[in-house]
Amino acid sequence: VFLGRIARIKGLADALAALRGVSARVDFDIHGPVSEPDHWRDCEAAIDRLPPNIRVRHHGPCDPGEVHALLRRYDLFFCPTHGENFGHAIFESLANGTPVLISDRTPWTGAMAAGAGWAIDPSDHAAQAAVVERLAATPPAARLAARLAARAFAREAVELSLIHI
């Protein structure tokens, strides 16, 4: 799933470019408002060039009250953003037990060491595609372990950020 504004900085075009190199069957859902129509037209053209094993659906904006339930339905949050000060959607994904495939330009790169996801340069489409391929071949028990690691990583991030007076 991609959840966020459809804007160049969020890296949706990079996610779509990476998916061109995936041979596994993938359902990729996009949730978010189009904030840059020219960029969305570029993304639509990229979607049209994807192989038939990649199915993409754009659902438009997501109601904020439904974000948690929405994220829990997916095996991976894929957002190779070109930069985040915080990355609220990344945190929400982790907190809901959905591993992340993000860029190395966020405060959440520690997810890799925690087993909660992958942080890769947004232009490294081959590496991103390899992650999606591996995840598609991952047995359910290992996927569950990644989900638990994601939740634990988010919980630890919250605990470490608490201020004690």
Side-chain angles (χ1 to χ4, degrees):
V1 67
F2 174 94
L3 173 64
R5 289 182 304 113
I6 297 175
R8 288 190 198 287
I9 195 166
K10 296 299 184 180
L12 178 58
D14 288 302
L16 294 168
L19 290 173
R20 285 190 74 189
V22 173
S23 61
R25 183 179 179 281
V26 173
D27 290 326
F28 185 54
D29 288 350
I30 301 167
H31 295 268
V34 175
S35 63
E36 295 177 11
D38 289 344
H39 176 61
W40 176 238
R41 280 191 289 280
D42 293 343
C43 289
E44 287 178 311
I47 291 166
D48 289 341
R49 292 188 302 271
L50 288 171
N53 58 298
I54 309 295
R55 185 173 73 163
V56 178
R57 292 177 307 243
H58 178 232
H59 299 274
C62 176
D63 182 281
E66 297 174 11
V67 167
H68 299 283
L70 177 113
L71 287 168
R72 284 191 289 265
R73 292 195 318 243
Y74 293 96
D75 295 309
L76 183 69
F77 174 79
F78 191 4
C79 184
T81 178
H82 290 255
E84 296 290 334
N85 290 325
F86 181 77
H88 291 87
I90 298 168
F91 173 75
E92 288 180 350
S93 181
L94 293 164
N96 282 285
T98 304
V100 298
L101 174 49
I102 56 174
S103 81
D104 55 359
R105 300 174 189 172
T106 79
W108 301 102
T109 58
M112 286 179 67
W118 301 265
I120 299 171
D121 183 295
S123 65
D124 193 344
H125 304 146
Q128 294 164 345
V131 166
V132 174
E133 288 283 358
R134 278 195 312 271
L135 185 61
T138 300
R143 286 187 195 192
L144 176 59
R147 286 183 174 282
L148 295 174
R151 290 186 75 165
F153 181 70
R155 188 178 319 104
E156 183 178 336
V158 169
E159 289 171 359
L160 292 175
S161 70
L162 295 177
I163 298 173
H164 300 282
I165 300 175

